[in-house]
Amino acid sequence: MSLTYSLFAASAGGIWERLSEWYEGSLIRELLTYISEEYFTVELGSYQNFAFSGSSGNLLRNIILAAACGIIIAALMTLYMRRGLGGFVRRLIATGATSPEQAKTLMELGYFRSVAIRRELSRGSALRMVVRCREQEAHEAELAERQSVGKRASETYRHDFLSAHFYVPEDLRHRAEIRFDAKGSGWLPTVITIAVTVVAASAICWFLPDLIQMADNLISFFQ
């Protein structure tokens, strides 16, 4: 196992090294460098009431870009939650799968080939907060009963996505509808959010030195 891991690590390291070498001399790197220097540079001046080091401009720029990246990631996650996962939840509700007796398989729902849905159902994710599996609940009930009488517990439950039935409990239906509502979460609002965030980050980088200068002049005026 250690030999296999070593070979894998060496292979991954070699691939990463080749990618790094390619990126260093690529047009993409030159383009990103140009965009960064042209639109996302904070050029601080000298101020009477504020002291900045030579690296302060880069630090402020990195903070601005980190905040912008956070907003962009949040927008993409919302799109994934409400469109990708939300489509599955809404499908369950639309087909009346709101109780163990009415639960549906992924095949019946048309999601058997969805790797994302199967992955989310296999782990404790946001999807599992409102979606239940009939077979898993039966397994857990049997496990609790065996443990209560001191019997050995059975193995951990694993989903068989060919036969497992899923549903949204009626008492969680309203919560699921609100959390996975598709309104306002399409590609167009997401693209607009990303575009506005990028433009706003560039504008802040551009005007921040002027704002600091105005604050500096205001402080000097009242001293």
Side-chain angles (χ1 to χ4, degrees), residues 17-194:
E17 184 178 350
R18 288 195 294 272
L19 285 175
S20 297
E21 291 176 356
W22 170 83
Y23 175 75
E24 286 298 323
S26 68
L27 182 63
I28 294 177
R29 180 180 182 276
E30 294 181 6
L31 179 62
L32 291 177
T33 300
Y34 170 78
I35 293 174
S36 175
E37 293 177 351
E38 189 71 18
Y39 300 104
F40 297 98
T41 298
V42 178
E43 297 181 354
L44 298 175
S46 59
Y47 309 98
Q48 295 182 5
N49 301 284
F50 300 103
F52 293 103
S53 64
S55 60
S56 296
N58 289 333
L59 177 61
L60 290 173
R61 181 194 65 181
N62 291 341
I63 293 173
I64 294 168
L65 293 181
C69 287
I71 294 173
I72 292 172
I73 291 173
L76 293 174
M77 287 300 297
T78 299
L79 178 67
Y80 173 69
M81 285 279 294
R82 297 198 170 191
R83 285 291 174 178
L85 305 185
F88 176 70
V89 174
R90 291 191 296 274
R91 179 65 175 167
L92 283 169
I93 296 173
T95 56
T98 55
S99 69
E101 296 75 22
Q102 298 170 314
K104 300 288 191 297
T105 65
L106 294 186
M107 192 72 73
E108 292 173 318
L109 295 165
Y111 278 87
F112 182 74
R113 296 183 180 274
S114 176
V115 177
I117 295 299
R118 292 168 66 171
R119 183 181 64 247
E120 294 295 329
L121 289 172
S122 297
R123 60 187 186 183
S125 64
L127 191 61
R128 293 307 308 274
M129 294 179 67
V130 295
V131 176
R132 300 290 183 265
C133 174
R134 186 173 71 191
E135 287 74 15
Q136 184 176 6
E137 289 181 327
H139 173 84
E140 291 174 351
E142 179 187 355
L143 179 63
E145 183 178 353
R146 292 175 65 89
Q147 289 178 337
S148 66
V149 296
K151 293 183 178 180
R152 184 178 178 182
S154 57
E155 62 182 11
T156 303
Y157 177 81
R158 293 182 180 277
H159 290 296
D160 179 359
F161 288 110
L162 279 172
S163 59
H165 294 72
F166 299 94
Y167 70 100
V168 176
E170 189 63 46
D171 60 334
L172 295 177
R173 177 173 178 170
H174 182 65
R175 176 182 177 185
E177 288 175 338
I178 293 176
R179 180 160 192 172
F180 293 97
D181 186 7
K183 293 181 180 178
S185 60
W187 280 105
L188 181 59
T190 302
V191 171
I192 292 175
T193 299
I194 293 174

